[in-house]
Amino acid sequence: FFFLFVTCTMARGRNNNRTSHGDGSGAIHSANMAINKENDFKEGVKKLQNRATMTAELLTEGGEIETFLMEADPDNAEGFLLAQRNRLKAIAEGNAKQWDEIENFVQAVKDVRGDVQRQNQSGAAAGGEGEGEAAAAGADDPPDYERSIQEAVEKVRLGKESDPNHVPLEEHEMVMSLREKLGEKVKKRARNDDDDDLEIVNNVGSDDVHALKCPI
């Protein structure tokens, strides 16, 4: 939704520039609006994560619900609890992914905005007849902001993934916090410290695909 919102508003800004000075001011204004809405974009993710966290607290290991189910239906309770806990972890990972996508997208919009601003400065420095010709050319062949943003998003994503301090999705704060609420023992490793690797001890069953323990 936020990608569609920004590209549409920047496109409107681009079209408005055709009737003005072709300086990209409309697109810059639209980009600023989108950047200022970053917290609005994230609000829905926060609500989903809060609900998942509250549910995780109810399903924590050794909690009242587990105790009741184990007494009421010992043959099926463990499998049921495992399935629900895994579902909550999947929700947390989805929330973490969407959170990162929002941050990547907003950063990409900032980068595209910066490119437009630098182009404006270059055009202003050129001045005279050349600037007028550039504006006219821009009006006939306006910038493709959708493509620019898509490319910028990919650049931001690849840059983060190549960073030695990059946090993989399964170690995202949202995921780790929810696993703690479920009663799992979670040890977070320091970045760039090969001797302090992540160790997650899963307390809800060996079938959990998220469980890992580094052999090193």
Side-chain angles (χ1 to χ4, degrees):
F1 169 77
F2 46 86
F3 178 81
L4 179 63
F5 168 79
V6 175
T7 52
C8 287
T9 53
M10 291 187 73
R12 285 199 297 268
R14 173 192 65 193
N15 294 332
N16 289 340
N17 290 337
R18 292 183 177 183
T19 59
S20 59
H21 298 89
D23 60 356
S25 58
I28 292 174
H29 175 68
S30 299
N32 289 336
M33 290 175 58
I35 292 168
N36 292 335
K37 285 183 173 291
E38 178 177 3
N39 290 334
D40 294 339
F41 297 149
K42 290 180 175 179
E43 190 60 32
V45 181
K46 290 180 180 179
K47 290 180 179 178
L48 289 175
Q49 184 65 17
N50 288 339
R51 292 171 184 169
T53 299
M54 288 188 291
T55 305
E57 290 177 341
L58 295 174
L59 295 178
T60 189
E61 182 185 7
E64 293 182 1
I65 289 181
E66 177 179 344
T67 301
F68 172 80
L69 290 176
M70 292 299 291
E71 293 176 354
D73 189 1
D75 294 333
N76 300 311
E78 185 175 353
F80 172 80
L81 289 169
L82 177 61
Q84 301 311 311
R85 287 162 176 164
N86 286 343
R87 184 175 299 176
L88 286 172
K89 295 173 195 175
I91 291 174
E93 288 190 7
N95 291 339
K97 181 179 179 181
Q98 188 171 2
W99 188 274
D100 287 346
E101 288 175 347
I102 291 172
E103 291 190 338
N104 292 348
F105 183 75
V106 171
Q107 182 58 53
V109 173
K110 291 179 180 179
D111 293 343
V112 172
R113 179 187 63 180
D115 291 340
V116 175
Q117 291 172 330
R118 283 187 289 272
Q119 291 172 2
N120 291 348
Q121 293 172 356
S122 298
E129 183 178 351
E131 181 181 359
E133 293 175 353
D140 295 334
D141 187 17
D144 186 348
Y145 291 118
E146 180 178 356
R147 179 178 178 181
S148 297
I149 292 175
Q150 288 176 335
E151 292 175 349
V153 167
E154 185 66 7
K155 182 177 180 181
V156 171
R157 184 185 66 81
L158 292 175
K160 286 186 176 182
E161 291 181 354
S162 63
D163 188 337
N165 292 324
H166 172 67
V167 178
L169 188 63
E170 62 270 16
E171 296 180 39
H172 193 282
E173 180 181 356
M174 288 184 174
V175 179
M176 302 296 274
S177 175
L178 184 132
R179 299 189 76 165
E180 289 176 344
K181 295 296 184 182
L182 286 173
E184 297 184 13
K185 298 176 182 178
V186 177
K187 182 179 180 182
K188 300 178 182 178
R189 68 177 175 90
R191 302 287 92 188
N192 286 332
D193 187 350
D194 294 335
D195 295 328
D196 187 17
D197 289 309
L198 173 69
E199 178 180 357
I200 298 180
V201 181
N202 189 352
N203 298 318
V204 295
S206 58
D207 293 334
D208 183 4
V209 296
H210 298 284
L212 64 92
K213 182 174 182 181
C214 179
I216 300 176

